[in-house]
Every structure is written in C-alpha cells, then in structure tokens.
Amino acid sequence: LCHGHTLAVKSGLTVLEQKATSMGVAVALFGHTHQQVSSYHDGLYLVNPGSLGMNASPEYAMLDFQNGQVVPVLVKEKN
C-alpha cells in the first residue's frame, strides 16, 4: 500500500510493479493519479481505487477474497 508519488506512478507502473514483485506481494494498492486501475500480470494485481471526491462520481475498490485468492473489484458510484 503506497500513495504512489515515491514510485513515479504518473509516469507508468513499472517501478511500482518492480517494488511489489521484489516484496513478494499479490496486490499493490496505490493512489496519486486519482484514476481507477486494476491490472494483473504474472501473479500481481496493481490497483488504484480512484477518488472519492475528485471525480464527478465517487470511485473506490474492494478486495474480494475467494477460495484463498484475491479479486479486486472497482466500483464507480452513480450520482
């Protein structure tokens, strides 16, 4: 879990992915861009929940645990 600015997420997710992979995590949650993202590559989810207040509609993410696996779910509320 990180804000994202220290891993330069506005320039891409490579540094975040490398850091998360080196730590052996299954999910890296990050912010800073206020843009929802859920991507999966080589056993790693990169998830940005979005923004509750910066966009026209509130956005957030949930992590659903099913049979020992994590499944990120992005939600965008309608106004």
Side-chain angles (χ1 to χ4, degrees):
L1 173 63
C2 68
H3 180 257
H5 69 289
T6 59
L7 299 173
V9 296
K10 284 190 176 181
S11 298
L13 301 179
T14 302
V15 176
L16 172 64
E17 184 175 355
Q18 290 171 343
K19 178 74 170 178
T21 299
S22 74
M23 295 178 74
V25 301
V27 180
L29 299 170
F30 69 100
H32 191 54
T33 64
H34 301 278
Q35 301 295 313
Q36 280 189 321
V37 170
S38 180
S39 66
Y40 182 82
H41 183 258
D42 287 338
L44 172 66
Y45 280 104
L46 302 177
V47 179
N48 185 326
S51 173
L52 286 174
M54 298 281 295
N55 300 320
S57 299
E59 302 168 338
Y60 56 93
M62 297 184 299
L63 298 179
D64 187 11
F65 294 88
Q66 302 173 4
N67 301 319
Q69 300 292 319
V70 62
V71 178
V73 178
L74 298 180
V75 179
K76 187 168 188 170
E77 297 281 333
K78 295 182 184 201
N79 284 339

